Amino acid sequence: MNFPNDLMYTKSHEWIKMQEDGTALVGLSDYAQDALGDLVFVNLPEAGDEVSAGEPFADVESVKAVSDVYSPLTGVVDAINDNLLDTPEAINEAPYDAWFIKVSDITDKEELMDAGAYEAFLKTIEE
């Protein structure tokens, strides 16, 4: 599994990449896409929608099940990754390139972990 050091992670397996302009990209971790299996559908919010830390903002459908994707941030959806609507398998192929939403006007964050803390967390749930 791959966990880039320039990202932050949540216990619900989303990653966050803070941008220089104060916005953040949000996606699913390598662990999450692997656990879900082959993704066949993604349901995303619309630009302008508000998201709340700890609340679902999207869902993904795999051959196994439908799963919610939780926002690690409170803010406004600045943009969505339209490519995922047509090619949800991109999440399986390159989870850290396949961002879901770009969030602006960030007012709150969930407890975020760096790559080392996230890997340590994963070991506790795999035991």
Side-chain angles (χ1 to χ4, degrees), residues 48-63:
D49 285 356
E50 293 185 8
V51 292
S52 297
E55 297 295 321
F57 72 87
D59 55 72
V60 292
E61 184 177 337
S62 71
V63 294

Side-chain angles (χ1 to χ4, degrees), residues 7-81:
L7 303 178
M8 299 298 286
Y9 302 87
T10 68
K11 289 183 177 180
S12 55
H13 311 294
E14 289 80 22
W15 59 259
I16 303 93
K17 182 171 187 174
M18 296 305 296
Q19 305 291 290
E20 289 183 15
D21 63 1
T23 63
L25 298 177
V26 178
L28 276 181
S29 74
D30 194 11
Y31 175 87
Q33 71 77 25
D34 184 61
L36 290 168
D38 293 336
L39 296 172
V40 296
F41 182 77
V42 177
N43 184 28
L44 296 173
E46 294 184 17
D49 285 356
E50 293 185 8
V51 292
S52 297
E55 297 295 321
F57 72 87
D59 55 72
V60 292
E61 184 177 337
S62 71
V63 294
K64 295 179 181 179
V66 176
S67 301
D68 286 332
V69 181
Y70 295 87
S71 180
L73 310 164
T74 297
V76 177
V77 177
D78 202 41
I80 64 166
N81 187 347

